[in-house]
Amino acid sequence: MANLKQEPIITAEGLKRRYVMGSETVWALAGVDLTIYRGEYLSIMGPSGSGKSTLFNIVGGLDKPSEGEVYIDGARISQLNPRQIAYLRCRKIGYIFQTFNLIGVMSAAENVMLPMVFAGMSDKDAQDKARQILDRVGLGERWDHRPTELSGGQQQRVAIARSLANDPAIILADEPTGNLDLKTGEEIIGMLKLLAAEAGVTVISATHDHKMLAVSDRVVYLTDGKIVDIKGREELQISFGTIDGEA
């Protein structure tokens, strides 16, 4: 049987993204080629302004490149119509955001239900599945609590549960520990790794958090819109409080 980690799920070819600000042109991406494999946990790291959020958004179908192509499961994203793009975002990709992006007037279960309802699942089936997923992330007893009644870590668990709602092949996590304390951040990282392994999904994280390196299969380093290094897990010497082998 083929090694799943060697089966591409996302391919980026010659990605460039420019923004025009008055008379100035800023290149957020200046030519990126990257293959991401099925079942891989990939972290994208770099300083502010390096282009990691832009790359993250383009790979997730949230933005379009000025030049270049992205393929997801062999589909050329630039050739998809708006309905097909919406289907891709709803069915194939789960999103986790630094600010959680939960709807305040809805309970935890209702927030998790949303992607399923958008995908056409009945309210009853969506509620049952939402509560099952919340059980998996340790919030089964708080399914009826609103975000304001939950801690930051609990809100991020709800966001993780929501990202799993439609059994995606890919999870995009944008600074998933950025608003959490050290202990809670470590718990969330461990949970993401475990859930990803159980579900066999590909996780792509744009992050500043060096704790992410401990669970990553590969780390992509960006500077000035270009990939300057890619390191496999075995190339990173990780110990408590220190990381050697960085670009």
Side-chain angles (χ1 to χ4, degrees), residues 148-198:
T148 54
E149 300 171 309
L150 301 172
S151 68
Q154 289 170 332
Q155 290 183 59
Q156 193 60 296
R157 287 171 184 252
V158 175
I160 291 172
R162 182 183 57 193
S163 76
L164 295 168
N166 287 328
D167 303 310
I170 301 161
I171 291 177
L172 295 176
D174 188 9
E175 297 284 2
T177 62
N179 285 337
L180 305 175
D181 60 62
L182 177 63
K183 181 176 183 297
T184 305
E186 289 176 340
E187 291 174 354
I188 292 298
I189 290 170
M191 177 178 297
L192 268 177
K193 180 67 172 179
L194 177 62
L195 292 172
E198 289 177 349

Side-chain angles (χ1 to χ4, degrees), residues 127-170:
Q127 184 179 69
D128 289 345
K129 186 174 180 181
R131 293 184 65 172
Q132 290 172 8
I133 300 173
L134 286 168
D135 273 335
R136 289 174 62 192
V137 301
L139 288 179
E141 295 182 357
R142 310 206 70 175
W143 64 271
D144 58 344
H145 286 57
R146 293 183 178 182
T148 54
E149 300 171 309
L150 301 172
S151 68
Q154 289 170 332
Q155 290 183 59
Q156 193 60 296
R157 287 171 184 252
V158 175
I160 291 172
R162 182 183 57 193
S163 76
L164 295 168
N166 287 328
D167 303 310
I170 301 161

Side-chain angles (χ1 to χ4, degrees), residues 116-131:
M116 294 182 265
V117 173
F118 289 152
M121 186 179 291
S122 71
D123 287 353
K124 176 63 168 60
D125 288 344
Q127 184 179 69
D128 289 345
K129 186 174 180 181
R131 293 184 65 172

Side-chain angles (χ1 to χ4, degrees), residues 59-120:
V59 164
L62 299 173
D63 193 8
K64 294 182 179 180
S66 303
E67 299 178 29
E69 295 288 349
V70 174
Y71 299 84
I72 297 181
D73 259 353
R76 188 175 179 179
I77 302 306
S78 65
Q79 293 183 338
L80 301 182
N81 61 40
R83 182 180 295 243
Q84 291 170 321
I85 288 286
Y87 180 90
L88 180 80
R89 291 173 183 161
C90 182
R91 298 276 188 163
K92 194 171 285 286
I93 302 173
Y95 300 91
I96 303 170
F97 300 98
Q98 177 179 351
T99 53
F100 317 137
N101 284 12
L102 301 178
I103 298 177
V105 298
M106 290 185 169
S107 68
E110 288 169 337
N111 271 280
V112 177
M113 287 170 60
L114 271 181
M116 294 182 265
V117 173
F118 289 152

Side-chain angles (χ1 to χ4, degrees), residues 41-45 209-221 229-239 242-247:
Y41 198 118
L42 183 87
S43 288
I44 302 171
M45 300 193 78
D209 192 343
H210 285 169
K211 296 188 297 299
M212 282 286 186
L213 299 180
V215 298
S216 300
D217 294 308
R218 285 191 301 159
V219 180
V220 174
Y221 295 95
D229 203 2
I230 300 177
K231 290 190 179 295
R233 179 67 183 82
E234 68 282 354
E235 298 177 83
L236 295 164
Q237 302 298 318
I238 302 175
S239 60
T242 63
I243 300 171
D244 299 320
E246 285 196 58

